[in-house]
Each structure stands twice: as C-alpha cells, then as structure tokens.
Amino acid sequence: MTTAPETAFIYSERYQQFDYGPDHPLRNTRLALTYELCQTCGLLSLPGTRLVEARDATEEEVIAFHRPDYVEVFRAADRGQAPPNLWDYGLGTSDNPIFPGVYAWSLLSTGASLLAMELVDSGQVACAFNIAGGLHHAAAARAAGFCYFNDAAVIIKHLVRRGRRVAYVDIDAHHGDGVQFGFYDTDRVLTLSIHESGESLFPGTGFVEEIGRGRGIGYAVNVPLLAGSDDEIFLWALDQVVPPLLTAFNPDVVVTQLGADTHRTDPLTNLALTTNGFAEAVRRLRPLCRKWIALGGGGYNLENVPRSWALAWAIMNQREVQDELPESLRATFQRLGFRPSRIRDDPYIAEASTREQAWRFVREQIHRLQKLVFPLHGM
C-alpha cells in the first residue's frame, strides 16, 4: 500500500475580510466554500495532512519580483493617496479596483503562497495547496486581470534565487502571461500553459510561437485551445506536452496553477470541461510533481470552484472524495442560488461540429509545438 505524502492546506478566515465589490466577478466566498467542503468531507483531518494558517508577505519578499515603484504606488493608493498615474500601473480599473484592504489582501494571498513554498522546499511536506493564490496576470510593475501581486512569480523568483529549477504548469482557462513573461529569458524556469486561445479570451497571448527569448528559448510552452474544447481534448493536449517536457526538464520543484474557470458553465470563459476533466488533469499532474506547490486561480461560478478544488485536494492526498455533496453544503449553495447535488459532474461531450473544429485546431497546435520546442529539449 502506497503511503500518502505529507501535505499542507494553507488557509485563513481573514480571506473573507476582503471583497472586490458587489459587481466584480472574483468572489472570495469561493475560498470559504472550498474550505467548508474539504472540511465537511474529512479532507482536512487526514493522517499526514496539515491545516496551516496563512501569513502575510513582507514588502521585501514581494519586491523579489515586483518593481519597488509599483509597490509604492499600490500601497499609496490603498491609503487613499493615489497618484495621478495610477492607471499606468493597471490600478483603479474595473478589473483591478482599489477596494478597502486591497493591499493587505494582496500581501496575505502572496504570503500564503510563500508559506506553501517554504514548507515544500524545506521538505516538511511534499505538497502544499494555497487556494487563494495563482494570481498569474500581474506583471512586475502592473496589475492586470484581477491580480495585483503575482504570487506564483514571487515564489518562483525566490526558488530560483535558491538555485532551484522550477517548472510552472498552468491549467487555468486564461493564459498565464504574467508568469511566462516574468521568466521569458531564463532556462531555469519552464512555463507550460494550457488555455483557451488568446484569439477569443483575455489576455490575448499564449500562442505556440511564444517560446522564450535568449537563454529562455524553448522554456516557454503554450497550448492554446479553441472555445468549446471538452475534457477529452484538454486531457489529450496535456498528455502530449506536459509529461514529456517535465521529464526532460527534470525540475526540482513544480508549481501548478489550478484555475477552475475551464468549466463549461464558467461565465467568463468558453472551454467545456467538467469537474471530472479538471480532476483527471490534476490526477495526471500528481506523479510528475515530486515537490509540489499548488495554487488556486480563476473560477467565477461559485458552484464549480469548491467542487473542483476539493477534488484536487483529495487527489493530492491520494484519496477519493464522496460523490454526494454534503447536506450542509447543499443548503449553503441553495442560499447562493445554486442547486448542485453531487461533487462530480455528469459526463459531457461537446457538440459534434464544435468538437471537430476543436480537435483539428489542437492537433495543429501540438504539431507546431513539437516542431518548435521539443528538439530544443532533445526530443
């Protein structure tokens, strides 16, 4: 019998103190729902599992990736002292509003990822999951796409400074642009992103031809998918690219961004995955991650996110989660206007013509990628 790895679930009730605003798509309620579902299913009291209180990042830790002038402007805006060039830094927009406590929220979500990094890199646990992390769009000096501090890029920068080789695997529906371009010219970080094509979705990047620059050529890898791509298409694409490249790169640490907005009912995206497909993607990543820092990410349907991340956390602990949604959670979901009864979805296959186009597109992308990138890794 295989022994499950030591794992850590990073969480804080302080997450619920922060709110992007009533009309903003990103709701921190999804974090509390995920915690409640994992707890009710007994997934936070497993042998070898730690529930760890999140900590705040320091400005010094954040500046490892973010420019000091950006941090200074962001802090001033949070204090009501916004400079006239606030928008130059992507701040104060409808996507990235200056809501009460936004700076403290960003330090907390980033600190939670730094804590996950410390636990994994020190060998205290084999896997740590920060569901509040994965804010992958922020650049070194610009907020973007609901993201103020790029926690993934911050922890990768710290790991590289420690001499680690890092692989970053992003399965969010949106391209992980902030992380990719943050490490675009280094061969110490391999970034892999499977996402809806930038032709139809923000941020409009993540094409196969984006393969890095200078020493980083071949270390940025993108698999864009057509809108309507379902579980089978997504998993096929993952299998063609992620295992062979991770094996060739042989990272010391793997950081994964597990955005749940690939779901077919997500209001902001156009892929067609189910919770089953999402869980299977995580299951296929698990044996590739000897040291695994898992981060949350997107997900804008409150019914989907906790179900997806509870399944992911169960897989990280080599456990199967019950199929029936606990009664207490059903009542909570109903108060929010949702009526799920099960954690796993019914199978779904996209409509025939959509599926045919999506298959043709993904095969073309993989073929181009294998010609462009694989030879650079001796494949």
Side-chain angles (χ1 to χ4, degrees):
M1 179 177 179
T2 303
T3 302
E6 296 276 328
T7 59
F9 189 94
I10 316 297
Y11 187 73
S12 177
E13 291 186 0
R14 288 191 289 155
Y15 292 160
Q16 298 311 302
Q17 296 175 9
F18 307 103
D19 188 344
Y20 282 66
D23 299 321
H24 199 283
L26 188 61
R27 311 295 297 173
N28 278 356
T29 304
R30 68 204 186 120
L31 307 176
L33 290 170
T34 301
Y35 170 79
E36 186 177 351
L37 180 54
C38 289
Q39 185 180 55
T40 305
C41 291
L43 295 173
L44 298 179
S45 56
L46 299 169
T49 291
R50 305 184 194 181
L51 177 61
V52 184
E53 173 70 21
R55 71 165 177 86
D56 297 315
T58 66
E59 289 186 358
E60 183 179 4
E61 288 173 322
V62 168
I63 289 171
F65 175 74
H66 288 284
R67 271 186 9 204
D69 60 310
Y70 170 70
V71 175
E72 181 179 345
V73 168
F74 184 20
R75 182 177 62 243
D78 181 63
R79 293 175 177 172
Q81 303 165 349
N85 64 338
L86 192 65
W87 278 31
D88 292 343
Y89 293 92
L91 296 165
T93 66
S94 58
D95 275 3
N96 290 89
I98 301 300
F99 60 83
V102 60
Y103 190 69
W105 156 248
S106 300
L107 289 175
L108 177 59
S109 57
T110 303
S113 292
L114 283 161
L115 179 54
M117 179 201 75
E118 291 158 358
L119 290 169
V120 170
D121 191 50
S122 66
Q124 295 180 63
V125 300
C127 171
F129 190 13
N130 173 29
I131 58 174
L135 303 175
H136 58 172
H137 293 307
R142 186 172 178 82
F146 317 157
C147 307
Y148 301 87
F149 287 151
N150 191 326
D151 61 292
V154 169
I155 66 173
I156 292 170
K157 182 68 77 169
H158 282 277
L159 287 166
V160 170
R161 285 181 174 180
R162 296 180 181 187
R164 312 292 188 256
R165 290 168 60 82
V166 183
Y168 172 77
V169 182
D170 191 320
I171 63 170
D172 193 286
H174 300 87
H175 175 230
D177 58 329
V179 183
Q180 171 183 290
F181 292 118
F183 300 95
Y184 207 55
D185 57 0
T186 178
D187 58 2
R188 300 292 300 176
V189 180
L190 173 68
T191 62
L192 300 118
S193 182
I194 306 175
H195 49 267
E196 182 180 338
S197 172
E199 294 283 357
S200 58
L201 192 67
F202 175 89
T205 55
F207 300 100
V208 169
E209 292 76 15
E210 295 168 28
I211 64 170
R213 178 178 56 236
R215 292 176 63 89
I217 291 177
Y219 292 87
V221 180
N222 291 289
V223 184
L225 304 175
L226 275 191
S229 297
D230 58 20
D231 290 348
E232 185 179 0
I233 294 170
F234 190 97
L235 293 170
W236 181 83
L238 186 151
D239 285 343
Q240 299 306 304
V241 174
V242 178
L245 283 173
L246 283 189
T247 300
F249 184 66
N250 192 27
D252 300 308
V253 182
V254 178
V255 178
T256 60
Q257 201 271 20
L258 305 178
D261 53 2
T262 52
H263 197 279
R264 68 188 188 90
T265 64
D266 193 276
L268 298 190
T269 65
N270 308 291
L271 296 181
L273 272 68
T274 66
T275 59
N276 311 315
F278 175 87
E280 184 57 32
V282 177
R283 193 182 306 279
R284 295 183 188 189
L285 290 173
R286 189 185 64 77
L288 303 171
C289 305
R290 294 190 305 272
K291 289 191 169 188
W292 186 4
I293 303 164
L295 309 174
Y300 308 98
N301 180 321
L302 292 179
E303 178 181 353
N304 299 332
V305 177
R307 296 187 301 135
S308 298
W309 287 348
L311 287 167
W313 178 241
I315 290 164
M316 293 173 201
N317 288 279
Q318 300 180 19
R319 298 298 177 105
E320 292 295 328
V321 70
Q322 64 195 60
D323 195 33
E324 290 297 311
L325 194 69
E327 192 63 38
S328 62
L329 266 294
R330 290 192 202 185
T332 300
F333 276 117
Q334 287 171 5
R335 286 195 297 272
L336 294 168
F338 300 104
R339 296 188 175 276
S341 60
R342 296 165 55 233
I343 297 176
R344 297 176 181 84
D345 291 331
D346 292 329
Y348 174 80
I349 298 176
E351 190 268 334
S353 60
T354 299
R355 204 160 188 264
E356 182 180 353
Q357 292 176 0
W359 268 118
R360 186 183 309 117
F361 183 82
V362 72
R363 289 187 174 114
E364 290 172 354
Q365 304 307 303
I366 296 297
H367 178 69
R368 290 161 63 194
L369 185 63
Q370 288 173 337
K371 291 183 67 176
L372 273 173
V373 172
F374 278 32
L376 300 174
H377 294 272
M379 300 159 60

